[in-house]
Amino acid sequence: MPLDQTRILLVHPLGYRPEEARGDITRIANLMPPLGLASIAAYLESKGLHADLIDSVAWPDSDGALRELLRDRRPGFIGVGCTTFGFRDALRVLRLAKAELPGIKGLLGGPHVSALRERILKENAEVDYTVIGEGEETVEALMRGATPGSIPGLTYRDGGQVAFSGFRARGIDLDSLPFPAYEKLAGYPGVYKLPIFNYPRSPNASCISSRGCPYECSYCDRSVFRKSFRFNSAEYLYEHLRSLKDRWNIRHVNFYDDQFTFHRQRIRDFCRLLLDKPLDMTFNCAVRAEHVDPELLRQMKEAGCWMMSLGIETGDPELLARHRQNADLEMLGRTLRDIKKAGIRTKGLLMMGLPGETEESIRRSMRYVLSLPLDDFNLTKFTPFPGSPIHETIREYGTFDEDPDRMDCMHFVFVPKGFTLARLEKLYGRFYQRHYRRPKVWMGYLAMLWRSPDSWRRFVLNLGNFIRFAFAGRDTRKEQPVT
């Protein structure tokens, strides 16, 4: 039976062994659907093509389902979207598919392949094409049988040589896209979970209402959307939420936009729609301090904004100025206090181990974070991803173990000069301890008993996994104190 050239199987790879995934704290605490793949699936279906979607992160034991679907539907294409961390597993999925269906064409997309482009095909024979940038129009053209060289955003093989067709001249109009194909995600919405204590009600959902970022920070990979920044209109955004409420009774949405409030008027208009035609939904978002003000915060709170996340990165002003535009910690502190005053919960996002980091810069970060009115915070281990500006020169600033299987922001793959890995881990643990040992932080979590009861239920059910995570890798050897 021939392969169906009008059908594609889209896969979100797991990235590590299924037995490791079951107790992985990152999956237990926060499991986000693959919105990019769901968007591509919806777009292809709207154009008369066919797409199936398997999320192996949500379902770690999905290889059997993958094989069964390949046999039953015999798609002509398999497309795997991956980060750096999921890259090796993405290659494994392609090999599995080709063993099951010889002749199937394998595509890779996502930030890792957009950053490395031709190199992926040169080094990996199982990959037939890589999709560079946004995937909707590129994948459709390929499935329609267009000549690869005529399809912008594609790397391909031409006479034994690897070629790149060039970037698309313009980004897709986001309001022209159908809503993501959530219905193709097995177990949606129940299997997907927002971070614990980051939402008031369930079921909840993730949503992205813009693509790209207007800023150029040293640590951010911008290879997919490059320098573009586009966003859905307020009307589209309202209808998206209304659809989530009507179809799945979603009660809370977390917007994963890099800059939700960059275009303030669309947020004002969006809030006005929510106030004029209430959906009985709440939402979280991420903002930069430059793009909110007390009046906007008041309106967002009235419309249902429950929590805001701000990228702090580091509390050391000199280190921050090396890596980020508008490095103004005083403004950031004022904004956080304005957010709290508006009645919105606050979450700080930080990194440890940036190039140029010192023990003093870490101490400054600790002191700065302890001075802020934060309800929650997330401290990631700096990872120099391909496509980020700092990746090209990273080895000038320390040692870098470029192992894709550990590049998940949960491991110190980069160790700045002047540090040992053991010392970084010790300081990392101490940073969390300093924050979470404060009585006001625990009082805030106790308040979640009635503000987010589902979070406490999840916490109690997975208490053993949280304890193992808290004590993982703890070095009990005596070290100099951290102040």
Side-chain angles (χ1 to χ4, degrees), residues 160-218:
Q161 299 297 313
V162 173
F164 174 48
S165 61
F167 296 105
R168 289 194 168 271
R170 58 170 183 81
I172 197 167
D173 174 11
L174 299 188
D175 274 8
S176 72
L177 294 174
F179 303 142
Y182 300 107
E183 68 278 1
K184 291 185 177 291
L185 294 165
Y188 185 87
V191 72
Y192 295 99
K193 303 293 184 182
L194 295 181
I196 288 179
F197 304 121
N198 280 212
Y199 61 92
R201 298 179 293 178
S202 62
N204 44 57
S206 305
C207 182
I208 296 176
S209 72
S210 63
R211 292 183 180 182
C213 177
Y215 292 96
E216 297 185 52
C217 300
S218 72

Side-chain angles (χ1 to χ4, degrees), residues 75 80 99 130 197 204 235 252 270 309 313 319 326 371 400 449:
V80 187
T130 59
F197 304 121
N204 44 57
E235 293 75 18
H252 179 86
F270 172 56
S309 301
E313 318 313 349
L319 182 61
N326 294 349
S371 75
F400 179 31
L449 282 169

Side-chain angles (χ1 to χ4, degrees), residues 205-209 237 241 253-257 260 270 283-286:
S206 305
C207 182
I208 296 176
S209 72
L237 192 49
L241 263 62
V253 169
N254 192 17
F255 290 103
Y256 273 89
D257 304 50
F260 186 67
F270 172 56
F283 64 93
N284 293 357
C285 60

Side-chain angles (χ1 to χ4, degrees), residues 334-362:
R334 287 195 305 271
T335 300
L336 281 164
R337 286 185 283 275
D338 286 341
I339 295 170
K340 284 292 289 183
K341 188 176 180 180
I344 300 170
R345 285 174 57 79
T346 58
K347 183 173 184 177
L349 309 176
L350 293 99
M351 287 185 281
M352 182 182 286
L354 283 160
E357 187 88 87
T358 64
E359 292 218 13
E360 179 56 30
S361 68
I362 292 173

Side-chain angles (χ1 to χ4, degrees), residues 162-363:
V162 173
F164 174 48
S165 61
F167 296 105
R168 289 194 168 271
R170 58 170 183 81
I172 197 167
D173 174 11
L174 299 188
D175 274 8
S176 72
L177 294 174
F179 303 142
Y182 300 107
E183 68 278 1
K184 291 185 177 291
L185 294 165
Y188 185 87
V191 72
Y192 295 99
K193 303 293 184 182
L194 295 181
I196 288 179
F197 304 121
N198 280 212
Y199 61 92
R201 298 179 293 178
S202 62
N204 44 57
S206 305
C207 182
I208 296 176
S209 72
S210 63
R211 292 183 180 182
C213 177
Y215 292 96
E216 297 185 52
C217 300
S218 72
Y219 41 79
C220 282
D221 173 8
R222 304 183 69 206
S223 53
V224 174
F225 304 118
R226 303 170 71 210
K227 295 184 178 182
S228 70
F229 178 69
R230 286 157 291 131
F231 47 86
N232 290 120
S233 66
E235 293 75 18
Y236 182 100
L237 192 49
Y238 177 84
E239 291 301 321
H240 193 166
L241 263 62
R242 189 165 69 86
S243 173
L244 289 169
K245 178 68 179 295
D246 290 347
R247 294 190 67 180
W248 289 284
N249 194 34
I250 297 299
R251 309 291 299 281
H252 179 86
V253 169
N254 192 17
F255 290 103
Y256 273 89
D257 304 50
D258 290 324
Q259 306 295 338
F260 186 67
T261 60
F262 184 79
H263 191 280
R264 298 190 193 196
Q265 190 57 49
R266 81 144 182 160
I267 302 304
R268 291 190 182 98
D269 294 342
F270 172 56
C271 290
R272 177 49 52 196
L273 287 168
L274 288 174
L275 291 168
D276 290 346
K277 298 179 286 185
L279 295 173
D280 189 29
M281 298 173 73
T282 49
F283 64 93
N284 293 357
C285 60
V287 303
R288 277 184 70 119
E290 303 96 304
H291 303 299
V292 292
D293 55 66
E295 176 57 28
L296 181 63
L297 292 171
R298 182 196 62 79
Q299 189 177 16
M300 292 176 72
K301 170 62 177 178
E302 289 181 2
C305 185
W306 197 77
M307 184 180 221
M308 281 188 177
S309 301
L310 285 87
I312 300 169
E313 318 313 349
T314 173
D316 182 278
E318 290 148 11
L319 182 61
L320 188 62
R322 290 178 57 174
H323 296 283
R324 174 176 169 167
Q325 297 161 280
N326 294 349
D328 189 339
L329 291 174
E330 289 187 12
M331 177 182 64
L332 211 161
R334 287 195 305 271
T335 300
L336 281 164
R337 286 185 283 275
D338 286 341
I339 295 170
K340 284 292 289 183
K341 188 176 180 180
I344 300 170
R345 285 174 57 79
T346 58
K347 183 173 184 177
L349 309 176
L350 293 99
M351 287 185 281
M352 182 182 286
L354 283 160
E357 187 88 87
T358 64
E359 292 218 13
E360 179 56 30
S361 68
I362 292 173
R363 291 188 179 93

